[in-house]
Amino acid sequence: MRESAANYTSVQEIERIHETQQNYFQTKETYSIAYRYKMLRALKKSVLEKENAICEALYADFKKPFFESELTEFLIVVMEINRTIKNLKKWTKPKSVSSGILNFPSSSKIIFEPYGNALIIGPWNYPFQLVMAPLIAAIAAGNTIVLKPSELTPHTSQLVAQIISELFDPKYIAVVQGDVEQSQKLLSLKWDYIFFTGSPKVGQIVYEAASKFLTPVTLELGGKNPCIVDETAPLKLTAKRIVWGKFVNAGQTCIAPDYLLVNHQIKSELITYLIEEIENAYGKDVFVSPDYPRIVNQSNFERLQRLILKEHIVYGGTCNLKDLYISPTLLDLSDLNSSTQIEQLPEVMQNEIFGPILPIISYSDHEELDNWVQKFDKPLALYLFSKSKKMIDKISIDYAFGGGAINDVIVQFTNHHLPFGGVGKSGIGAYHGKKSFETFSHKKSIVHRGTWIDIPMRYAPYQGKLKWIKKLIDWL
């Protein structure tokens, strides 16, 4: 279902909102910590009141189970608001740092100030959480904000628009609804910060648009996330955790395992356990399970259906266009050669899958494993199941990736003490917890020099002073 064009924001209205927010930011009303607290508490109250409506909207968009909606969307947002309210006073306090001997006598500090007018563009796969979480941070940092939720999840986007319009004056926070036309208009304007979550392809468009104004950005993208299982892994538990992480949200998760690299000795046994755990989770007929979501739209359904290699299916592969249903699908691609170029691989291995299809590739040694991992761009996530400390240390150090986990999947996202973000083509910048507040804040450096003494070393004439400068530097 597409959102009605009647709900789309006009280009003229986008221009008006943008100008109004810029003017409002100049009043510095959003700088007030009391104002930020007031806005955050109002947002929290509304989110709590609309708990059922949020879950219902997500179900209407792609049959997301209420449990998953609570766990991966609603509760994450509530925890983020609570955490931000609890820590805001501490986060906004200027941070004193050492001035160093070269600036004696002085004191130095970092002041966290809002960037200004921020643009947040959200994705469709977690359409509530991945819009609201950066919004909370942008409010906490004192910005004015324009939100652009995804048109592919119209029920959730409309609910987000309703929440924002009921709470906030559009001169402070506004929602722009629409598709390519509205997105292009937004990206043609000058922003003080842009936060984008989505595909690497669109991320490049956003980055290019931001570069015209030298606008700082956070790009939360994706990639082909490898999940490595070696011969020491506890296979039943490993299978259970992989099945959960891969098929939650029907695989439409940017940090889901994209493909498995399994030691050839334990591949067959692991596949048996994977099938067992899929059926434990969703039953033998997954179609009727109340716990399994659907693909977001026909376009993505057809793309995923095209990726399924019938001759390699070891489980699943069932597709129902009318219901946008694709069953959990396991593909055995162990016949692939690790030295094969990407463009010569099956389509399912050329790009991020972003759906309930899990290719399984076996490896015999570290060279073969390395060939597979290094073949693709730096991923957003990497996972390893192993009891070997040597293996754990090697994988953690040898490969570049945004973040990951040992003996589990996805859980790095839930730790607010860890920055969440990609590297290279999987993203720029990071957020979560305090890092989210810092992402939407400019760190302004200030040195306050004393006037009771003025050391003449830096002033002209310079003759004879360089040797003393060098001695001072050596001493430091």
Side-chain angles (χ1 to χ4, degrees), residues 382-449:
L382 182 146
Y383 305 109
L384 169 67
F385 286 84
S386 175
K387 289 184 177 180
S388 166
K389 184 179 184 303
K390 182 179 179 181
M391 182 69 161
I392 292 169
D393 291 343
K394 177 178 175 57
I395 297 301
S396 301
I397 294 169
D398 282 2
Y399 301 126
F401 51 95
I406 308 298
N407 294 323
D408 211 338
V409 295
I410 294 184
V411 293
Q412 73 276 16
F413 183 89
T414 65
N415 186 347
H416 68 272
H417 297 292
L418 293 174
F420 177 80
V423 58
K425 285 192 175 181
S426 62
I428 297 172
Y431 72 124
H432 279 192
K434 183 181 179 183
K435 182 64 178 175
S436 295
F437 167 79
E438 293 177 348
T439 290
F440 283 95
S441 301
H442 168 61
K443 274 68 76 179
K444 184 163 62 179
S445 303
I446 304 227
V447 176
H448 185 177
R449 289 296 302 270

Side-chain angles (χ1 to χ4, degrees), residues 133-259:
L135 169 65
I136 293 163
I139 292 172
N143 300 279
T144 57
I145 306 122
V146 168
L147 294 177
K148 169 60 178 70
S150 174
E151 71 278 11
L152 300 185
T153 47
H155 298 91
T156 307
S157 295
Q158 185 59 37
L159 181 59
V160 168
Q162 178 188 339
I163 291 171
I164 298 305
S165 64
E166 288 174 355
L167 294 177
F168 307 114
D169 192 306
K171 69 182 181 182
Y172 173 47
I173 303 175
V175 172
V176 167
Q177 298 199 69
D179 50 25
V180 175
E181 181 184 3
Q182 283 71 23
S183 296
Q184 288 177 338
K185 181 59 184 178
L186 287 168
L187 292 175
S188 72
L189 300 172
K190 183 181 184 297
W191 303 92
D192 297 300
Y193 202 91
I194 297 176
F195 190 104
F196 170 81
T197 305
S199 70
K201 181 179 179 181
V202 180
Q204 288 179 321
I205 296 172
V206 173
Y207 202 17
E208 183 178 356
S211 70
K212 296 176 183 177
F213 302 104
L214 298 180
T215 302
V217 300
T218 294
L219 302 177
E220 295 295 340
L221 309 177
K224 290 197 75 65
N225 306 320
C227 181
I228 302 165
V229 184
D230 79 0
E231 67 279 9
T232 69
L235 295 187
K236 184 171 176 58
L237 179 61
T238 295
K240 187 173 187 176
R241 292 178 175 178
I242 289 173
V243 164
W244 170 75
K246 176 61 181 181
F247 299 114
V248 69
N249 208 38
Q252 299 166 118
T253 303
C254 61
I255 53 173
D258 191 89
Y259 63 104

Side-chain angles (χ1 to χ4, degrees), residues 220-293:
E220 295 295 340
L221 309 177
K224 290 197 75 65
N225 306 320
C227 181
I228 302 165
V229 184
D230 79 0
E231 67 279 9
T232 69
L235 295 187
K236 184 171 176 58
L237 179 61
T238 295
K240 187 173 187 176
R241 292 178 175 178
I242 289 173
V243 164
W244 170 75
K246 176 61 181 181
F247 299 114
V248 69
N249 208 38
Q252 299 166 118
T253 303
C254 61
I255 53 173
D258 191 89
Y259 63 104
L260 298 188
L261 291 168
V262 184
N263 185 283
H264 70 101
Q265 300 174 41
I266 48 94
K267 187 199 73 174
S268 295
E269 189 178 0
L270 178 63
I271 289 175
T272 299
Y273 281 124
L274 288 170
I275 294 170
E276 180 181 305
E277 292 301 333
I278 290 171
E279 294 183 349
N280 285 343
Y282 305 112
K284 290 188 178 296
D285 185 358
V286 183
F287 184 82
V288 299
S289 171
D291 300 321
Y292 189 73

Side-chain angles (χ1 to χ4, degrees), residues 6 27 53 75 96 109 211 236 243 279 309 329 335 346 475:
T27 69
L75 290 176
S96 296
K109 62 183 176 181
S211 70
K236 184 171 176 58
V243 164
E279 294 183 349
L309 306 172
T329 300
D335 58 343
W475 180 73

